[in-house]
């Protein structure tokens, strides 16, 4: 799966902002890379306070990105190439300019008043609770026209919907049907954790009816899942949970919530062999029977992978991501090693500081990296001479070539796609090794997380193997698993003898 940020993928109408036509033009790029599904972050009409996550109309296309006709063409072109299209659904909040909120705000007697979360000031004055917005400051905004506060977990321009109100549920469910009927293949449900977190730290006795319990939240997840399932689609859920036992609940007690609760465990951690092994083993052990994993190294909300962990780990990260069990999700540009871009103060867009990881895709080494014919909405990284698709596509040893090879190998071997996962010990603490296997087909993945060459023995394995791929893309050879050598930060994918 490819996590695509439409603002920065490809601009075809010369306004410096990416558009849907641009995704159509680059759909063959995604096909050649081996992508099976694209999750596109919001391109619905929006006030752009949170770059698409403040929606003003859930059932239309923002004119800056194109029209409904362009979107349907994109869907058609993607499906023609066997690529699924997954939309981003933002249920926790709308824009403060959404007609629902404008109506709700119009007066205490508005029929949509209860669609959002309004509360009186405390008797002694001030916000109803101490609850802080994730973006800083109080989560309550005073509306002087009616003398009440409304709740916003994110920016004040993103008022939270009241999911206790059945009309909200109905209206939002209709949005899902609207897109599914048009043929989309599923949704990534945004910030779903916060549906039930609205009154933390508050004396809820005054508003007990408004607080969603976890059980009620699960019920909403199940309802969405049923809708998505009825069209044969997929449901991804964003919880940003760092606690395994909480994250696992997003699958649902009977695997009836999200198919893929997004997995953030590799994103902010200690990038060391023993720790990564621990994470993968724990996630694998926690997965309920029949549940399908997913893995990602980055996304629109955090620094690029190499800025978090170091460039030396780019190739190792790629091999890990693409050989684990579960759907790998590639953040656009990761396949060429895009880095955070320094944003001059006067070009800042996102108030929360997430511009550096959202800059234009680097297609070639031209001034605007082939993304646009004009100065793009965010600056292009000046590493574009080296870090660009065209240059790396011509170089058989590039990171991009590694991504392509890994995806191809994954797609052509059932063991890598669906096989079991089992980690194995090695004689070096700097290495993480695991086996993926199905029906006698077995692959060993060995990753050297250190800057030194490691000569290792894989525990309990004396057999011979065949190195199919090294992250350095320069060896394909037979090897002895009791004496394997790995260069600094090298990873190897080894095909094992079936009886080994
Ligand atoms: C998600 C998005 C993030 C957005 C937030 C509020 O976490 O990934 O970009 O700001 O939700 O919608």
């Amino acid at each position: 799966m490819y996590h695509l940020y439409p603002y920065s993928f490809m601009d075809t109408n010369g306004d410096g902002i990416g558009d849907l036509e641009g995704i159509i033009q680059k759909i063959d790029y995604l096909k050649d890379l081996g992508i099976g599904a694209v999750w596109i972050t919001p391109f619905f009409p929006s006030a752009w306070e949170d770059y698409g996550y403040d929606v003003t109309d859930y059932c239309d296309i923002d004119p800056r990105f194109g029209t409904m006709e362009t979107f349907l063409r994109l869907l058609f072109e993607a499906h023609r190439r066997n690529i699924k299209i997954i939309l981003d659904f933002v249920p926790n909040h709308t824009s403060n300019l959404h007609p629902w909120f404008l109506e709700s705000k119009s007066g205490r007697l508005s029929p949509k008043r209860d669609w959002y979360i309004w509360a009186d000031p405390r008797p002694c004055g001030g916000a109803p609770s101490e609850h802080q917005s994730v973006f800083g400051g109080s989560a309550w905004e005073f509306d002087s026209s009616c003398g009440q506060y409304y709740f916003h977990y994110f920016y004040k321009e993103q008022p939270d919907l009241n999911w206790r109100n059945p009309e909200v549920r109905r209206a939002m469910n209709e949005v899902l049907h609207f897109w599914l009927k048009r043929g989309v293949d599923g949704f990534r449900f945004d910030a779903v954790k916060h549906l039930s977190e609205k009154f933390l730290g508050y004396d809820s006795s005054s508003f007990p009816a408004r607080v969603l319990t976890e059980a009620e939240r699960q019920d909403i997840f199940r309802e969405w899942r049923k809708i998505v399932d009825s069209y044969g689609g997929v449901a991804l859920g964003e919880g940003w949970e760092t606690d395994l036992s909480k994250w696992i609940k997003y699958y649902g007690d009977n695997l009836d919530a999200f198919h893929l609760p997004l997995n953030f465990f590799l994103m902010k951690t200690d990038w060391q062999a023993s720790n990564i092994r621990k994470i993968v083993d724990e996630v694998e052990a926690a997965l309920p029977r029949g549940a399908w994993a997913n893995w990602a190294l980055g996304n629109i909300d955090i620094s690029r992978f190499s800025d978090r962990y170091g460039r030396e780990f780019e190739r190792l990260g790629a091999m890990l991501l693409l050989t684990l069990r579960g759907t790998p999700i590639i953040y656009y540009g990761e396949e060429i090693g895009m880095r955070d871009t320094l944003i001059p103060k006067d070009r800042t867009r996102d108030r929360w500081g997430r511009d550096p990881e959202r800059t234009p895709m680097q297609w070639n080494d031209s001034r605007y990296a082939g993304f646009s014919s004009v100065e793009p909405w965010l600056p292009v990284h000046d590493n574009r001479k080296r870090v660009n698709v065209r240059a790396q596509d011509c170089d058989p040893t590039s990171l991009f070539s590694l991504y392509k090879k890994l995806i191809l190998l994954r797609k052509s071997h059932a063991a890598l796609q669906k096989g079991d996962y089992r980690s194995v010990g090695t004689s070096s603490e700097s290495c993480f090794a695991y086996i993926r296997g199905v029906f006698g087909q077995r692959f060993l993945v060995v990753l050297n997380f250190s800057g030194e060459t490691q000569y290792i023995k894989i525990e309990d394995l004396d057999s011979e193997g065949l190195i199919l791929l090294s992250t350095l893309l320069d060896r394909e050879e037979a090897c002895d698993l009791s004496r394997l050598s790995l260069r600094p930060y090298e990873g190897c994918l080894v095909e094992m003898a079936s009886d080994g």
Side-chain angles (χ1 to χ4, degrees):
M1 188 180 296
Y2 198 79
H3 171 12
L4 189 154
Y5 190 56
Y7 296 77
S8 284
F9 199 57
M10 183 68 199
D11 170 26
T12 56
N13 63 354
D15 62 358
I17 302 162
D19 42 54
L20 297 181
E21 190 64 47
I23 306 178
I24 298 176
Q25 279 191 15
K26 295 293 183 187
I27 201 90
D28 280 325
Y29 165 79
L30 297 170
K31 181 73 198 161
D32 290 349
L33 182 56
I35 299 301
V38 184
W39 146 33
I40 312 175
T41 65
F43 47 77
F44 318 108
S46 154
W48 282 34
E49 292 292 342
D50 190 13
Y51 290 87
Y53 287 97
D54 50 327
V55 178
T56 55
D57 182 351
Y58 286 97
C59 296
D60 207 348
I61 310 291
D62 192 302
R64 284 167 281 206
F65 292 119
T67 61
M68 189 60 85
E69 187 274 327
T70 337
F71 174 71
L72 294 176
R73 209 152 30 83
L74 164 61
L75 202 57
F76 175 74
E77 293 297 338
H79 285 172
R80 224 155 59 88
R81 292 162 177 82
N82 258 327
I83 295 176
K84 296 192 185 306
I85 296 288
I86 292 158
L87 303 194
D88 215 310
F89 179 66
V90 189
N92 184 66
H93 45 268
T94 67
S95 158
N96 62 337
L97 300 182
H98 193 294
W100 296 344
F101 186 70
L102 295 178
E103 166 62 51
S104 180
K105 197 179 158 205
S106 68
R108 291 191 187 214
L109 295 178
S110 154
K112 289 206 168 45
R113 186 66 172 177
D114 189 50
W115 280 41
Y116 293 83
I117 297 160
W118 293 94
D120 288 329
R122 283 186 202 176
C124 50
S129 77
E130 298 302 326
H131 202 146
Q132 296 292 297
S133 147
V134 75
F135 290 141
S138 171
W140 292 100
E141 181 68 13
F142 189 61
D143 175 38
S144 55
S145 59
C146 293
Q148 281 194 312
Y149 284 84
Y150 66 85
F151 186 86
H152 58 92
Y153 192 79
F154 293 91
Y155 292 130
K156 67 179 187 331
E157 293 84 359
Q158 296 168 295
D160 278 39
L161 281 162
N162 175 16
W163 275 85
R164 280 235 116 164
N165 184 323
E167 288 175 20
V168 168
R169 271 171 90 146
R170 224 172 295 128
M172 290 300 270
N173 288 350
E174 272 169 27
V175 173
L176 300 179
H177 285 291
F178 176 89
W179 291 109
L180 288 163
K181 275 187 195 144
R182 278 159 183 77
V184 308
D185 302 287
F187 300 93
R188 175 261 195 187
F189 291 82
D190 178 70
V192 293
K193 174 180 173 181
H194 306 300
L195 292 189
S196 67
E197 270 201 342
K198 306 200 193 301
F199 286 82
L200 273 186
Y202 178 60
D203 165 20
S204 59
S205 55
S206 327
F207 296 96
R210 294 263 173 89
V211 186
L212 269 194
T213 62
E214 212 175 280
E216 286 169 319
R217 191 181 68 175
Q218 289 298 119
D219 188 49
I220 294 173
F221 295 170
R222 277 196 296 272
E223 193 165 286
W224 291 338
R225 168 67 177 265
K226 268 198 197 137
I227 296 174
V228 172
D229 273 349
S230 68
Y231 292 83
V234 65
L236 282 60
E238 187 212 26
W240 259 117
E241 294 290 2
T242 44
D243 178 330
L244 206 59
S245 60
K246 287 190 179 158
W247 170 71
I248 217 72
K249 290 197 176 147
Y250 288 74
Y251 280 96
D253 289 340
N254 302 305
L255 295 188
D256 51 6
F258 297 103
H259 296 98
L260 299 176
L262 293 177
N263 170 340
F264 295 93
F265 296 106
L266 292 178
M267 290 199 203
K268 278 187 186 169
T269 192
D270 205 3
W271 200 256
Q272 282 184 19
S274 56
N275 183 48
I276 300 298
R277 176 179 183 179
K278 183 167 169 281
I279 290 174
V280 180
D281 283 355
E282 285 179 357
V283 166
E284 280 285 344
L287 280 175
R289 214 183 160 72
W292 186 240
N294 69 94
W295 298 95
L297 302 176
N299 67 32
I300 47 168
D301 297 320
I302 48 170
S303 259
R304 290 260 176 199
F305 175 79
S306 9
D307 291 85
R308 260 176 292 133
Y309 299 127
R311 244 194 95 193
E312 63 276 22
F313 288 118
E314 272 171 356
R315 287 169 186 252
L316 221 57
M319 185 168 273
L320 176 72
L321 179 70
L322 292 159
T323 56
L324 285 177
R325 197 178 74 95
T327 300
I329 306 179
I330 299 172
Y331 181 46
Y332 87 98
E334 227 160 52
E335 69 275 28
I336 51 170
M338 273 177 60
R339 306 285 307 267
D340 283 354
T341 304
L342 198 69
I343 311 289
K345 246 202 162 104
D346 61 342
R347 303 238 5 222
T348 299
R349 298 282 188 156
D350 179 46
R351 286 183 263 156
W352 189 238
R354 294 166 295 183
D355 293 331
E357 61 264 25
R358 297 176 172 184
T359 56
M361 179 71 181
Q362 293 165 204
W363 296 106
N364 60 41
D365 65 2
S366 66
R367 184 156 176 217
Y368 303 130
F371 163 75
S372 177
S373 53
V374 300
E375 178 73 46
W377 75 295
L378 281 178
V380 173
H381 201 295
D382 51 19
N383 66 9
R384 66 181 185 281
K385 293 274 176 230
R386 177 180 56 83
V387 180
N388 73 71
V389 172
R390 188 186 290 160
Q392 292 197 20
D393 201 15
C394 300
D395 173 1
T397 64
S398 67
L399 180 65
F400 183 62
S401 297
L402 175 64
Y403 264 89
K404 274 180 124 169
K405 283 218 159 123
L406 279 165
I407 296 174
L408 192 66
L409 281 167
R410 184 183 175 98
K411 287 184 124 174
S412 43
H413 292 96
L416 289 174
Q417 261 180 45
K418 305 179 194 147
D420 295 339
Y421 159 91
R422 176 167 67 89
S423 65
V424 285
T426 76
S427 54
S428 159
E429 282 187 355
S430 312
C431 293
F432 170 32
Y434 48 95
I435 292 175
R436 300 286 319 280
V438 75
F439 305 130
Q441 188 185 63
R442 295 198 305 161
F443 291 90
L444 172 76
V445 179
V446 200
L447 308 168
N448 176 7
F449 280 70
S450 79
E452 279 105 50
T453 300
Q454 301 289 324
Y455 300 94
I456 59 169
K457 170 171 169 33
I458 309 289
E459 261 170 32
D460 304 327
L461 291 178
D462 291 319
S463 58
E464 292 266 303
L466 177 67
I467 298 181
L468 284 187
L469 183 69
S470 152
T471 49
L472 302 173
L473 294 157
D474 59 355
R475 61 167 160 160
E476 273 173 61
E477 61 201 19
C479 64
D480 178 349
L481 298 181
S482 61
R483 271 186 299 123
L484 192 60
S485 77
L486 287 171
R487 288 163 288 173
Y489 308 112
E490 184 183 21
C492 282
L493 175 64
V494 182
E495 184 166 10
M496 295 163 64
S498 52
D499 58 345

